[in-house]
C-alpha cells in the first residue's frame, strides 16, 4: 500500500477517535483512505466494515447502559436494512462502477454532515408529518442498508441527519440509534461481502491488516474519552466532512479527470 501499513494504521486510529467521539464508526473515511492507498477495491468494503464493527460495538454498549437505545422504535428501521445490507454486500460490481458509487456516497455523506445544522433547525416542521408515516422508518433503513452493504459504509452518517430532519428524537438518542444501525448493518453487509468469496478472504484479511484493526480499537477508546470531555462536536463534523469531500473529489478526478 502506498501509505504503508504503519502510516495507514495511524490514520485509522485518528479517524476512529474522531468518529467515536460523535457516535459514528468511521466507515466512510476508512474506505476513502483505503481507496487512496490503492488497496484492491474488492477488499475495501470488508476492511472498512470490520473496522466499523470494532469501533461502534463499544459505543452501542455505552449507549445501552445509559438507557438511550430505544429498541421499540429502532426495530422498524432495522427491519429492511439488515436483509438489504446483506443483499448489497452480495452484489458483484466492477471496479469502475464501485469507485463511482463510492465517490457519490462519500460526497453525499460529506454534504449531509455540513448540512446537519440546517436539519436540526428544520426538524420541528416535519414532526407531525413523520408521525403519520409508518412506512417511513423501514423505507429509510432499507435504502441506506442496501447502499451500506455495497460500498462498505455502516450508514449512520446518512441515517443521523435524516432522523434529525424528521425530528425522530433528541440528538443523544439519534446518536445511539445510529450506533446500533451501524453495528447491525456492518455485520450484515460484511456477511454478504464475505459470502461472495465463500468466506475464504476473512482469515487472510485479519492476518494482513491486523494493525488497522488494532488502530481503530485504540482510537475508538480515545474517541469515547474525548466524547466525555465534551469535545466541540460541530468542529469534528466539519473537519470530517471536508476530508470526505476531498477524497470524493480525488476519486471523481481519477475516474473522469
Amino acid at each position: 500500500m502506498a501509505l504503508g501499513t504503519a502510516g495507514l494504521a495511524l490514520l485509522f486510529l485518528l479517524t476512529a477517535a474522531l468518529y467515536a467521539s460523535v457516535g459514528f464508526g468511521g466507515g466512510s473515511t476508512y474506505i476513502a483512505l483505503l481507496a487512496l492507498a490503492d488497496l484492491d477495491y474488492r477488499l475495501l468494503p470488508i476492511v472498512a466494515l470490520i473496522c466499523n464493527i470494532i469501533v461502534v460495538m463499544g459505543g452501542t454498549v455505552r449507549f445501552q447502559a445509559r438507557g438511550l437505545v430505544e429498541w421499540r422504535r429502532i426495530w422498524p428501521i432495522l427491519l429492511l436494512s439488515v436483509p438489504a445490507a446483506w443483499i448489497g454486500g452480495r452484489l458483484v460490481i466492477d471496479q469502475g462502477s464501485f469507485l463511482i458509487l463510492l465517490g457519490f456516497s462519500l460526497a453525499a455523506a460529506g454534504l449531509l454532515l455540513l448540512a446537519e445544522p440546517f436539519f436540526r433547525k428544520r426538524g420541528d416542521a416535519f414532526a407531525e408529518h413523520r408521525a403519520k408515516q409508518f412506512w417511513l422508518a423501514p423505507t429509510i433503513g432499507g435504502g441506506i442498508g442496501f447502499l451500506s452493504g455495497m460500498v462498505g459504509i455502516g450508514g449512520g452518517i446518512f441515517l443521523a441527519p435524516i432522523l434529525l430532519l424528521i425530528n425522530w428524537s433528541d440528538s443523544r438518542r439519534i446518536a445511539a440509534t445510529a450506533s446500533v444501525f451501524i453495528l447491525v448493518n456492518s455485520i450484515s453487509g460484511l456477511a454478504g461481502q464475505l459470502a461472495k468469496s465463500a468466506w475464504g478472504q476473512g482469515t487472510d484479511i485479519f492476518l494482513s491488516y491486523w494493525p488497522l484493526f488494532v488502530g481503530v480499537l485504540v482510537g475508538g477508546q480515545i474517541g469515547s474519552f474525548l466524547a466525555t470531555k465534551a469535545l466541540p462536536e460541530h468542529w469534528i463534523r466539519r473537519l470530517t466532512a471536508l476530508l470526505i469531500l476531498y477524497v470524493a473529489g480525488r476519486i471523481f478526478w481519477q475516474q473522469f479527470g
Side-chain angles (χ1 to χ4, degrees):
M1 287 184 283
L3 292 175
T5 302
L8 203 54
L10 178 59
L11 291 175
F12 271 47
L13 185 152
L14 295 174
T15 299
L18 288 174
Y19 275 86
S21 68
V22 293
F24 290 152
S28 56
T29 303
Y30 303 139
I31 203 166
L33 292 171
L34 291 169
L36 293 179
D38 295 325
L39 187 71
D40 184 344
Y41 83 99
R42 291 166 295 186
L43 300 181
L44 299 182
I46 299 176
V47 176
L49 288 171
I50 293 173
C51 291
N52 258 354
I53 293 168
I54 293 171
V55 174
V56 299
M57 189 175 296
T60 299
V61 171
R62 286 190 298 273
F63 282 127
Q64 175 67 40
R66 294 165 60 190
L68 296 174
V69 179
E70 300 178 321
W71 292 104
R72 181 181 61 84
R73 301 188 64 200
I74 292 177
W75 76 261
I77 301 176
L78 301 178
L79 183 64
L80 295 181
S81 72
V82 174
W86 186 84
I87 294 170
R90 286 280 291 159
L91 289 180
V92 179
I93 54 179
D94 62 86
Q95 182 173 2
S97 300
F98 174 82
L99 291 175
I100 292 172
L101 179 62
L102 175 61
F104 278 111
S105 299
L106 293 176
L111 293 174
L112 282 172
L113 281 176
L114 290 177
E116 190 166 300
F118 168 80
F119 291 151
R120 291 179 187 271
K121 294 177 181 178
R122 296 283 295 176
D124 291 339
F126 290 86
E128 183 178 352
H129 176 74
R130 181 264 304 166
K132 299 177 181 178
Q133 305 299 325
F134 300 106
W135 50 266
L136 190 60
T139 302
I140 292 172
I144 298 176
F146 183 70
L147 176 64
S148 302
M150 278 197 296
V151 300
I153 298 173
I157 204 168
F158 297 113
L159 181 68
I162 293 174
L163 293 183
L164 283 169
L165 179 61
I166 64 176
N167 199 23
W168 190 82
S169 187
D170 62 79
S171 59
R172 292 188 305 162
R173 285 176 171 78
I174 287 176
T177 300
S179 184
V180 173
F181 185 85
I182 294 168
L183 176 60
V184 173
N185 285 281
S186 293
I187 293 172
S188 180
L190 178 61
Q193 291 285 342
L194 291 176
K196 287 191 293 193
S197 62
W199 302 85
Q201 291 180 316
T203 302
D204 292 339
I205 288 175
F206 270 107
L207 293 176
S208 300
Y209 301 100
W210 65 266
L212 306 185
F213 305 140
V214 173
V216 297
L217 178 62
V218 174
Q221 300 306 310
I222 295 173
S224 298
F225 173 79
L226 294 176
T228 62
K229 296 300 180 182
L231 193 68
E233 181 177 325
H234 61 283
W235 283 111
I236 295 175
R237 292 183 184 275
R238 289 171 185 171
L239 291 173
T240 301
L242 292 176
L243 172 61
I244 293 173
L245 289 173
Y246 166 75
V247 176
R250 284 285 302 270
I251 292 174
F252 287 140
W253 179 259
Q254 290 174 355
Q255 295 301 306
F256 303 115

mmCIF file with all atom_site columns, all heavy atoms in Angstrom, residues 3-17 30 33 211-216 218-219 222:
data_model
loop_
_atom_site.group_PDB
_atom_site.id
_atom_site.type_symbol
_atom_site.label_atom_id
_atom_site.label_alt_id
_atom_site.label_comp_id
_atom_site.label_asym_id
_atom_site.label_entity_id
_atom_site.label_seq_id
_atom_site.pdbx_PDB_ins_code
_atom_site.Cartn_x
_atom_site.Cartn_y
_atom_site.Cartn_z
_atom_site.occupancy
_atom_site.B_iso_or_equiv
_atom_site.pdbx_formal_charge
_atom_site.auth_seq_id
_atom_site.auth_comp_id
_atom_site.auth_asym_id
_atom_site.auth_atom_id
_atom_site.pdbx_PDB_model_num
ATOM 1   N N   . LEU A 1 3   ? 0.597   4.205  1.300  1.00 0.00 ? 3   LEU A N   1
ATOM 2   C CA  . LEU A 1 3   ? 0.813   4.893  2.563  1.00 0.00 ? 3   LEU A CA  1
ATOM 3   C C   . LEU A 1 3   ? 1.633   4.077  3.543  1.00 0.00 ? 3   LEU A C   1
ATOM 4   O O   . LEU A 1 3   ? 2.171   4.612  4.505  1.00 0.00 ? 3   LEU A O   1
ATOM 5   C CB  . LEU A 1 3   ? -0.547  5.243  3.203  1.00 0.00 ? 3   LEU A CB  1
ATOM 6   C CG  . LEU A 1 3   ? -1.397  6.284  2.485  1.00 0.00 ? 3   LEU A CG  1
ATOM 7   C CD1 . LEU A 1 3   ? -2.739  6.431  3.176  1.00 0.00 ? 3   LEU A CD1 1
ATOM 8   C CD2 . LEU A 1 3   ? -0.686  7.618  2.455  1.00 0.00 ? 3   LEU A CD2 1
ATOM 9   N N   . GLY A 1 4   ? 1.741   2.781  3.342  1.00 0.00 ? 4   GLY A N   1
ATOM 10  C CA  . GLY A 1 4   ? 2.402   1.913  4.296  1.00 0.00 ? 4   GLY A CA  1
ATOM 11  C C   . GLY A 1 4   ? 1.439   1.516  5.389  1.00 0.00 ? 4   GLY A C   1
ATOM 12  O O   . GLY A 1 4   ? 0.586   2.314  5.816  1.00 0.00 ? 4   GLY A O   1
ATOM 13  N N   . THR A 1 5   ? 1.575   0.303  5.873  1.00 0.00 ? 5   THR A N   1
ATOM 14  C CA  . THR A 1 5   ? 0.636   -0.210 6.863  1.00 0.00 ? 5   THR A CA  1
ATOM 15  C C   . THR A 1 5   ? 0.674   0.593  8.158  1.00 0.00 ? 5   THR A C   1
ATOM 16  O O   . THR A 1 5   ? -0.363  0.905  8.741  1.00 0.00 ? 5   THR A O   1
ATOM 17  C CB  . THR A 1 5   ? 0.938   -1.684 7.165  1.00 0.00 ? 5   THR A CB  1
ATOM 18  O OG1 . THR A 1 5   ? 0.868   -2.440 5.950  1.00 0.00 ? 5   THR A OG1 1
ATOM 19  C CG2 . THR A 1 5   ? -0.079  -2.256 8.145  1.00 0.00 ? 5   THR A CG2 1
ATOM 20  N N   . ALA A 1 6   ? 1.890   0.960  8.612  1.00 0.00 ? 6   ALA A N   1
ATOM 21  C CA  . ALA A 1 6   ? 2.011   1.710  9.860  1.00 0.00 ? 6   ALA A CA  1
ATOM 22  C C   . ALA A 1 6   ? 1.351   3.086  9.744  1.00 0.00 ? 6   ALA A C   1
ATOM 23  O O   . ALA A 1 6   ? 0.615   3.524  10.638 1.00 0.00 ? 6   ALA A O   1
ATOM 24  C CB  . ALA A 1 6   ? 3.476   1.850  10.247 1.00 0.00 ? 6   ALA A CB  1
ATOM 25  N N   . GLY A 1 7   ? 1.608   3.776  8.637  1.00 0.00 ? 7   GLY A N   1
ATOM 26  C CA  . GLY A 1 7   ? 1.004   5.091  8.434  1.00 0.00 ? 7   GLY A CA  1
ATOM 27  C C   . GLY A 1 7   ? -0.502  5.009  8.329  1.00 0.00 ? 7   GLY A C   1
ATOM 28  O O   . GLY A 1 7   ? -1.228  5.861  8.865  1.00 0.00 ? 7   GLY A O   1
ATOM 29  N N   . LEU A 1 8   ? -0.974  3.994  7.634  1.00 0.00 ? 8   LEU A N   1
ATOM 30  C CA  . LEU A 1 8   ? -2.413  3.817  7.481  1.00 0.00 ? 8   LEU A CA  1
ATOM 31  C C   . LEU A 1 8   ? -3.064  3.495  8.826  1.00 0.00 ? 8   LEU A C   1
ATOM 32  O O   . LEU A 1 8   ? -4.163  3.975  9.132  1.00 0.00 ? 8   LEU A O   1
ATOM 33  C CB  . LEU A 1 8   ? -2.688  2.702  6.478  1.00 0.00 ? 8   LEU A CB  1
ATOM 34  C CG  . LEU A 1 8   ? -4.050  2.706  5.761  1.00 0.00 ? 8   LEU A CG  1
ATOM 35  C CD1 . LEU A 1 8   ? -4.294  4.049  5.077  1.00 0.00 ? 8   LEU A CD1 1
ATOM 36  C CD2 . LEU A 1 8   ? -4.105  1.574  4.750  1.00 0.00 ? 8   LEU A CD2 1
ATOM 37  N N   . ALA A 1 9   ? -2.377  2.685  9.640  1.00 0.00 ? 9   ALA A N   1
ATOM 38  C CA  . ALA A 1 9   ? -2.913  2.345  10.964 1.00 0.00 ? 9   ALA A CA  1
ATOM 39  C C   . ALA A 1 9   ? -3.044  3.596  11.827 1.00 0.00 ? 9   ALA A C   1
ATOM 40  O O   . ALA A 1 9   ? -4.025  3.749  12.578 1.00 0.00 ? 9   ALA A O   1
ATOM 41  C CB  . ALA A 1 9   ? -2.012  1.322  11.646 1.00 0.00 ? 9   ALA A CB  1
ATOM 42  N N   . LEU A 1 10  ? -2.074  4.512  11.731 1.00 0.00 ? 10  LEU A N   1
ATOM 43  C CA  . LEU A 1 10  ? -2.147  5.757  12.496 1.00 0.00 ? 10  LEU A CA  1
ATOM 44  C C   . LEU A 1 10  ? -3.323  6.610  12.032 1.00 0.00 ? 10  LEU A C   1
ATOM 45  O O   . LEU A 1 10  ? -4.060  7.179  12.855 1.00 0.00 ? 10  LEU A O   1
ATOM 46  C CB  . LEU A 1 10  ? -0.846  6.534  12.344 1.00 0.00 ? 10  LEU A CB  1
ATOM 47  C CG  . LEU A 1 10  ? -0.787  7.900  13.049 1.00 0.00 ? 10  LEU A CG  1
ATOM 48  C CD1 . LEU A 1 10  ? -1.008  7.745  14.545 1.00 0.00 ? 10  LEU A CD1 1
ATOM 49  C CD2 . LEU A 1 10  ? 0.544   8.584  12.760 1.00 0.00 ? 10  LEU A CD2 1
ATOM 50  N N   . LEU A 1 11  ? -3.512  6.695  10.724 1.00 0.00 ? 11  LEU A N   1
ATOM 51  C CA  . LEU A 1 11  ? -4.652  7.448  10.199 1.00 0.00 ? 11  LEU A CA  1
ATOM 52  C C   . LEU A 1 11  ? -5.975  6.818  10.626 1.00 0.00 ? 11  LEU A C   1
ATOM 53  O O   . LEU A 1 11  ? -6.940  7.521  10.933 1.00 0.00 ? 11  LEU A O   1
ATOM 54  C CB  . LEU A 1 11  ? -4.575  7.520  8.675  1.00 0.00 ? 11  LEU A CB  1
ATOM 55  C CG  . LEU A 1 11  ? -3.446  8.382  8.098  1.00 0.00 ? 11  LEU A CG  1
ATOM 56  C CD1 . LEU A 1 11  ? -3.414  8.271  6.580  1.00 0.00 ? 11  LEU A CD1 1
ATOM 57  C CD2 . LEU A 1 11  ? -3.621  9.840  8.512  1.00 0.00 ? 11  LEU A CD2 1
ATOM 58  N N   . PHE A 1 12  ? -6.024  5.484  10.651 1.00 0.00 ? 12  PHE A N   1
ATOM 59  C CA  . PHE A 1 12  ? -7.232  4.800  11.100 1.00 0.00 ? 12  PHE A CA  1
ATOM 60  C C   . PHE A 1 12  ? -7.496  5.081  12.574 1.00 0.00 ? 12  PHE A C   1
ATOM 61  O O   . PHE A 1 12  ? -8.647  5.234  12.989 1.00 0.00 ? 12  PHE A O   1
ATOM 62  C CB  . PHE A 1 12  ? -7.098  3.289  10.861 1.00 0.00 ? 12  PHE A CB  1
ATOM 63  C CG  . PHE A 1 12  ? -7.578  2.844  9.516  1.00 0.00 ? 12  PHE A CG  1
ATOM 64  C CD1 . PHE A 1 12  ? -7.212  3.521  8.374  1.00 0.00 ? 12  PHE A CD1 1
ATOM 65  C CD2 . PHE A 1 12  ? -8.391  1.731  9.395  1.00 0.00 ? 12  PHE A CD2 1
ATOM 66  C CE1 . PHE A 1 12  ? -7.654  3.115  7.121  1.00 0.00 ? 12  PHE A CE1 1
ATOM 67  C CE2 . PHE A 1 12  ? -8.847  1.321  8.150  1.00 0.00 ? 12  PHE A CE2 1
ATOM 68  C CZ  . PHE A 1 12  ? -8.474  2.012  7.011  1.00 0.00 ? 12  PHE A CZ  1
ATOM 69  N N   . LEU A 1 13  ? -6.425  5.118  13.382 1.00 0.00 ? 13  LEU A N   1
ATOM 70  C CA  . LEU A 1 13  ? -6.577  5.420  14.805 1.00 0.00 ? 13  LEU A CA  1
ATOM 71  C C   . LEU A 1 13  ? -7.182  6.817  14.996 1.00 0.00 ? 13  LEU A C   1
ATOM 72  O O   . LEU A 1 13  ? -8.125  6.999  15.789 1.00 0.00 ? 13  LEU A O   1
ATOM 73  C CB  . LEU A 1 13  ? -5.220  5.328  15.496 1.00 0.00 ? 13  LEU A CB  1
ATOM 74  C CG  . LEU A 1 13  ? -5.192  5.492  17.024 1.00 0.00 ? 13  LEU A CG  1
ATOM 75  C CD1 . LEU A 1 13  ? -4.012  4.724  17.605 1.00 0.00 ? 13  LEU A CD1 1
ATOM 76  C CD2 . LEU A 1 13  ? -5.078  6.969  17.441 1.00 0.00 ? 13  LEU A CD2 1
ATOM 77  N N   . LEU A 1 14  ? -6.652  7.797  14.273 1.00 0.00 ? 14  LEU A N   1
ATOM 78  C CA  . LEU A 1 14  ? -7.173  9.157  14.380 1.00 0.00 ? 14  LEU A CA  1
ATOM 79  C C   . LEU A 1 14  ? -8.616  9.239  13.898 1.00 0.00 ? 14  LEU A C   1
ATOM 80  O O   . LEU A 1 14  ? -9.461  9.913  14.506 1.00 0.00 ? 14  LEU A O   1
ATOM 81  C CB  . LEU A 1 14  ? -6.287  10.110 13.566 1.00 0.00 ? 14  LEU A CB  1
ATOM 82  C CG  . LEU A 1 14  ? -4.846  10.268 14.048 1.00 0.00 ? 14  LEU A CG  1
ATOM 83  C CD1 . LEU A 1 14  ? -4.041  11.118 13.068 1.00 0.00 ? 14  LEU A CD1 1
ATOM 84  C CD2 . LEU A 1 14  ? -4.807  10.884 15.434 1.00 0.00 ? 14  LEU A CD2 1
ATOM 85  N N   . THR A 1 15  ? -8.914  8.545  12.811 1.00 0.00 ? 15  THR A N   1
ATOM 86  C CA  . THR A 1 15  ? -10.282 8.534  12.282 1.00 0.00 ? 15  THR A CA  1
ATOM 87  C C   . THR A 1 15  ? -11.250 7.927  13.282 1.00 0.00 ? 15  THR A C   1
ATOM 88  O O   . THR A 1 15  ? -12.337 8.472  13.535 1.00 0.00 ? 15  THR A O   1
ATOM 89  C CB  . THR A 1 15  ? -10.330 7.736  10.964 1.00 0.00 ? 15  THR A CB  1
ATOM 90  O OG1 . THR A 1 15  ? -9.478  8.360  9.999  1.00 0.00 ? 15  THR A OG1 1
ATOM 91  C CG2 . THR A 1 15  ? -11.750 7.661  10.421 1.00 0.00 ? 15  THR A CG2 1
ATOM 92  N N   . ALA A 1 16  ? -10.866 6.789  13.856 1.00 0.00 ? 16  ALA A N   1
ATOM 93  C CA  . ALA A 1 16  ? -11.727 6.129  14.840 1.00 0.00 ? 16  ALA A CA  1
ATOM 94  C C   . ALA A 1 16  ? -11.971 7.029  16.042 1.00 0.00 ? 16  ALA A C   1
ATOM 95  O O   . ALA A 1 16  ? -13.092 7.100  16.569 1.00 0.00 ? 16  ALA A O   1
ATOM 96  C CB  . ALA A 1 16  ? -11.104 4.814  15.282 1.00 0.00 ? 16  ALA A CB  1
ATOM 97  N N   . ALA A 1 17  ? -10.933 7.742  16.480 1.00 0.00 ? 17  ALA A N   1
ATOM 98  C CA  . ALA A 1 17  ? -11.082 8.637  17.629 1.00 0.00 ? 17  ALA A CA  1
ATOM 99  C C   . ALA A 1 17  ? -12.078 9.751  17.330 1.00 0.00 ? 17  ALA A C   1
ATOM 100 O O   . ALA A 1 17  ? -12.945 10.073 18.153 1.00 0.00 ? 17  ALA A O   1
ATOM 101 C CB  . ALA A 1 17  ? -9.728  9.222  18.010 1.00 0.00 ? 17  ALA A CB  1
ATOM 102 N N   . TYR A 1 30  ? -12.573 5.342  6.462  1.00 0.00 ? 30  TYR A N   1
ATOM 103 C CA  . TYR A 1 30  ? -11.698 4.169  6.292  1.00 0.00 ? 30  TYR A CA  1
ATOM 104 C C   . TYR A 1 30  ? -11.627 3.766  4.830  1.00 0.00 ? 30  TYR A C   1
ATOM 105 O O   . TYR A 1 30  ? -10.548 3.540  4.276  1.00 0.00 ? 30  TYR A O   1
ATOM 106 C CB  . TYR A 1 30  ? -12.205 2.965  7.099  1.00 0.00 ? 30  TYR A CB  1
ATOM 107 C CG  . TYR A 1 30  ? -12.355 3.203  8.569  1.00 0.00 ? 30  TYR A CG  1
ATOM 108 C CD1 . TYR A 1 30  ? -13.459 2.704  9.261  1.00 0.00 ? 30  TYR A CD1 1
ATOM 109 C CD2 . TYR A 1 30  ? -11.419 3.924  9.290  1.00 0.00 ? 30  TYR A CD2 1
ATOM 110 C CE1 . TYR A 1 30  ? -13.616 2.920  10.608 1.00 0.00 ? 30  TYR A CE1 1
ATOM 111 C CE2 . TYR A 1 30  ? -11.572 4.151  10.633 1.00 0.00 ? 30  TYR A CE2 1
ATOM 112 C CZ  . TYR A 1 30  ? -12.679 3.643  11.296 1.00 0.00 ? 30  TYR A CZ  1
ATOM 113 O OH  . TYR A 1 30  ? -12.845 3.860  12.629 1.00 0.00 ? 30  TYR A OH  1
ATOM 114 N N   . LEU A 1 33  ? -9.678  6.272  2.730  1.00 0.00 ? 33  LEU A N   1
ATOM 115 C CA  . LEU A 1 33  ? -8.232  6.142  2.904  1.00 0.00 ? 33  LEU A CA  1
ATOM 116 C C   . LEU A 1 33  ? -7.701  4.898  2.202  1.00 0.00 ? 33  LEU A C   1
ATOM 117 O O   . LEU A 1 33  ? -6.625  4.923  1.592  1.00 0.00 ? 33  LEU A O   1
ATOM 118 C CB  . LEU A 1 33  ? -7.898  6.083  4.396  1.00 0.00 ? 33  LEU A CB  1
ATOM 119 C CG  . LEU A 1 33  ? -8.138  7.376  5.193  1.00 0.00 ? 33  LEU A CG  1
ATOM 120 C CD1 . LEU A 1 33  ? -7.966  7.105  6.691  1.00 0.00 ? 33  LEU A CD1 1
ATOM 121 C CD2 . LEU A 1 33  ? -7.192  8.473  4.732  1.00 0.00 ? 33  LEU A CD2 1
ATOM 122 N N   . PRO A 1 211 ? -2.895  -4.537 11.903 1.00 0.00 ? 211 PRO A N   1
ATOM 123 C CA  . PRO A 1 211 ? -2.546  -3.236 12.512 1.00 0.00 ? 211 PRO A CA  1
ATOM 124 C C   . PRO A 1 211 ? -3.668  -2.208 12.380 1.00 0.00 ? 211 PRO A C   1
ATOM 125 O O   . PRO A 1 211 ? -3.819  -1.344 13.257 1.00 0.00 ? 211 PRO A O   1
ATOM 126 C CB  . PRO A 1 211 ? -1.301  -2.808 11.731 1.00 0.00 ? 211 PRO A CB  1
ATOM 127 C CG  . PRO A 1 211 ? -0.700  -4.091 11.227 1.00 0.00 ? 211 PRO A CG  1
ATOM 128 C CD  . PRO A 1 211 ? -1.883  -4.933 10.894 1.00 0.00 ? 211 PRO A CD  1
ATOM 129 N N   . LEU A 1 212 ? -4.431  -2.279 11.295 1.00 0.00 ? 212 LEU A N   1
ATOM 130 C CA  . LEU A 1 212 ? -5.533  -1.340 11.121 1.00 0.00 ? 212 LEU A CA  1
ATOM 131 C C   . LEU A 1 212 ? -6.615  -1.588 12.158 1.00 0.00 ? 212 LEU A C   1
ATOM 132 O O   . LEU A 1 212 ? -7.200  -0.638 12.709 1.00 0.00 ? 212 LEU A O   1
ATOM 133 C CB  . LEU A 1 212 ? -6.126  -1.473 9.710  1.00 0.00 ? 212 LEU A CB  1
ATOM 134 C CG  . LEU A 1 212 ? -5.154  -1.349 8.533  1.00 0.00 ? 212 LEU A CG  1
ATOM 135 C CD1 . LEU A 1 212 ? -5.908  -1.393 7.224  1.00 0.00 ? 212 LEU A CD1 1
ATOM 136 C CD2 . LEU A 1 212 ? -4.327  -0.074 8.648  1.00 0.00 ? 212 LEU A CD2 1
ATOM 137 N N   . PHE A 1 213 ? -6.868  -2.857 12.449 1.00 0.00 ? 213 PHE A N   1
ATOM 138 C CA  . PHE A 1 213 ? -7.910  -3.197 13.418 1.00 0.00 ? 213 PHE A CA  1
ATOM 139 C C   . PHE A 1 213 ? -7.482  -2.817 14.839 1.00 0.00 ? 213 PHE A C   1
ATOM 140 O O   . PHE A 1 213 ? -8.300  -2.362 15.638 1.00 0.00 ? 213 PHE A O   1
ATOM 141 C CB  . PHE A 1 213 ? -8.233  -4.692 13.324 1.00 0.00 ? 213 PHE A CB  1
ATOM 142 C CG  . PHE A 1 213 ? -8.612  -5.131 11.937 1.00 0.00 ? 213 PHE A CG  1
ATOM 143 C CD1 . PHE A 1 213 ? -8.159  -6.341 11.420 1.00 0.00 ? 213 PHE A CD1 1
ATOM 144 C CD2 . PHE A 1 213 ? -9.399  -4.328 11.135 1.00 0.00 ? 213 PHE A CD2 1
ATOM 145 C CE1 . PHE A 1 213 ? -8.504  -6.734 10.139 1.00 0.00 ? 213 PHE A CE1 1
ATOM 146 C CE2 . PHE A 1 213 ? -9.740  -4.713 9.844  1.00 0.00 ? 213 PHE A CE2 1
ATOM 147 C CZ  . PHE A 1 213 ? -9.292  -5.923 9.340  1.00 0.00 ? 213 PHE A CZ  1
ATOM 148 N N   . VAL A 1 214 ? -6.199  -2.992 15.140 1.00 0.00 ? 214 VAL A N   1
ATOM 149 C CA  . VAL A 1 214 ? -5.695  -2.542 16.442 1.00 0.00 ? 214 VAL A CA  1
ATOM 150 C C   . VAL A 1 214 ? -5.787  -1.017 16.527 1.00 0.00 ? 214 VAL A C   1
ATOM 151 O O   . VAL A 1 214 ? -6.164  -0.452 17.572 1.00 0.00 ? 214 VAL A O   1
ATOM 152 C CB  . VAL A 1 214 ? -4.243  -3.007 16.645 1.00 0.00 ? 214 VAL A CB  1
ATOM 153 C CG1 . VAL A 1 214 ? -3.656  -2.393 17.910 1.00 0.00 ? 214 VAL A CG1 1
ATOM 154 C CG2 . VAL A 1 214 ? -4.169  -4.526 16.723 1.00 0.00 ? 214 VAL A CG2 1
ATOM 155 N N   . GLY A 1 215 ? -5.478  -0.342 15.431 1.00 0.00 ? 215 GLY A N   1
ATOM 156 C CA  . GLY A 1 215 ? -5.544  1.112  15.416 1.00 0.00 ? 215 GLY A CA  1
ATOM 157 C C   . GLY A 1 215 ? -6.935  1.636  15.721 1.00 0.00 ? 215 GLY A C   1
ATOM 158 O O   . GLY A 1 215 ? -7.103  2.555  16.538 1.00 0.00 ? 215 GLY A O   1
ATOM 159 N N   . VAL A 1 216 ? -7.963  1.050  15.088 1.00 0.00 ? 216 VAL A N   1
ATOM 160 C CA  . VAL A 1 216 ? -9.330  1.547  15.333 1.00 0.00 ? 216 VAL A CA  1
ATOM 161 C C   . VAL A 1 216 ? -9.816  1.159  16.725 1.00 0.00 ? 216 VAL A C   1
ATOM 162 O O   . VAL A 1 216 ? -10.632 1.868  17.320 1.00 0.00 ? 216 VAL A O   1
ATOM 163 C CB  . VAL A 1 216 ? -10.320 1.058  14.254 1.00 0.00 ? 216 VAL A CB  1
ATOM 164 C CG1 . VAL A 1 216 ? -9.927  1.596  12.887 1.00 0.00 ? 216 VAL A CG1 1
ATOM 165 C CG2 . VAL A 1 216 ? -10.424 -0.458 14.228 1.00 0.00 ? 216 VAL A CG2 1
ATOM 166 N N   . VAL A 1 218 ? -7.910  1.087  19.467 1.00 0.00 ? 218 VAL A N   1
ATOM 167 C CA  . VAL A 1 218 ? -7.331  2.107  20.345 1.00 0.00 ? 218 VAL A CA  1
ATOM 168 C C   . VAL A 1 218 ? -8.006  3.458  20.106 1.00 0.00 ? 218 VAL A C   1
ATOM 169 O O   . VAL A 1 218 ? -8.380  4.175  21.041 1.00 0.00 ? 218 VAL A O   1
ATOM 170 C CB  . VAL A 1 218 ? -5.814  2.213  20.124 1.00 0.00 ? 218 VAL A CB  1
ATOM 171 C CG1 . VAL A 1 218 ? -5.232  3.368  20.935 1.00 0.00 ? 218 VAL A CG1 1
ATOM 172 C CG2 . VAL A 1 218 ? -5.134  0.895  20.487 1.00 0.00 ? 218 VAL A CG2 1
ATOM 173 N N   . GLY A 1 219 ? -8.193  3.812  18.835 1.00 0.00 ? 219 GLY A N   1
ATOM 174 C CA  . GLY A 1 219 ? -8.813  5.082  18.506 1.00 0.00 ? 219 GLY A CA  1
ATOM 175 C C   . GLY A 1 219 ? -10.231 5.195  19.029 1.00 0.00 ? 219 GLY A C   1
ATOM 176 O O   . GLY A 1 219 ? -10.658 6.270  19.477 1.00 0.00 ? 219 GLY A O   1
ATOM 177 N N   . ILE A 1 222 ? -10.098 6.150  22.612 1.00 0.00 ? 222 ILE A N   1
ATOM 178 C CA  . ILE A 1 222 ? -9.734  7.564  22.751 1.00 0.00 ? 222 ILE A CA  1
ATOM 179 C C   . ILE A 1 222 ? -10.945 8.443  22.432 1.00 0.00 ? 222 ILE A C   1
ATOM 180 O O   . ILE A 1 222 ? -11.219 9.433  23.125 1.00 0.00 ? 222 ILE A O   1
ATOM 181 C CB  . ILE A 1 222 ? -8.552  7.910  21.826 1.00 0.00 ? 222 ILE A CB  1
ATOM 182 C CG1 . ILE A 1 222 ? -7.300  7.145  22.263 1.00 0.00 ? 222 ILE A CG1 1
ATOM 183 C CG2 . ILE A 1 222 ? -8.292  9.414  21.823 1.00 0.00 ? 222 ILE A CG2 1
ATOM 184 C CD1 . ILE A 1 222 ? -6.124  7.299  21.318 1.00 0.00 ? 222 ILE A CD1 1
#
